[in-house]
Amino acid sequence: MKRIDIRYGGHSYSVGGRELADLQNEIETGLIPGGSVWIRVNEGEGIRRDAYLLITPGTPIALIPLEGEK
């Protein structure tokens, strides 16, 4: 998988070089029991700019795998 797009707080982010299942597992593991987790993402297009999203129980987040891109 080339990239996973993420929708969080009304903004778009992306993660490259990771598998969807691995990212899902990282988030789920961080939330057990009732915890939180920071995930590193890319903000913007072109030049990489790291951003860190805090995921807590009840945080609305969408993970959109772009599987057709290799």
Side-chain angles (χ1 to χ4, degrees):
M1 182 172 310
K2 184 174 181 182
R3 188 175 81 216
I4 301 167
D5 282 352
I6 298 174
R7 304 289 190 272
Y8 176 95
H11 298 281
S12 295
Y13 303 91
S14 64
V15 173
R18 300 213 36 203
E19 293 296 324
L20 177 62
D22 293 337
L23 183 56
Q24 288 173 314
N25 187 50
E26 178 183 340
I27 293 169
E28 290 171 357
T29 300
L31 295 179
I32 298 171
S36 61
V37 63
W38 288 93
I39 59 171
R40 184 175 69 151
V41 298
N42 181 43
E43 189 274 330
E45 305 254 345
I47 298 173
R48 179 169 179 82
R49 293 185 301 190
D50 286 343
Y52 296 85
L53 305 180
L54 177 61
I55 311 298
T56 60
T59 299
I61 183 172
L63 305 178
I64 306 152
L66 301 175
E67 298 192 31
E69 298 183 16
K70 296 270 180 190

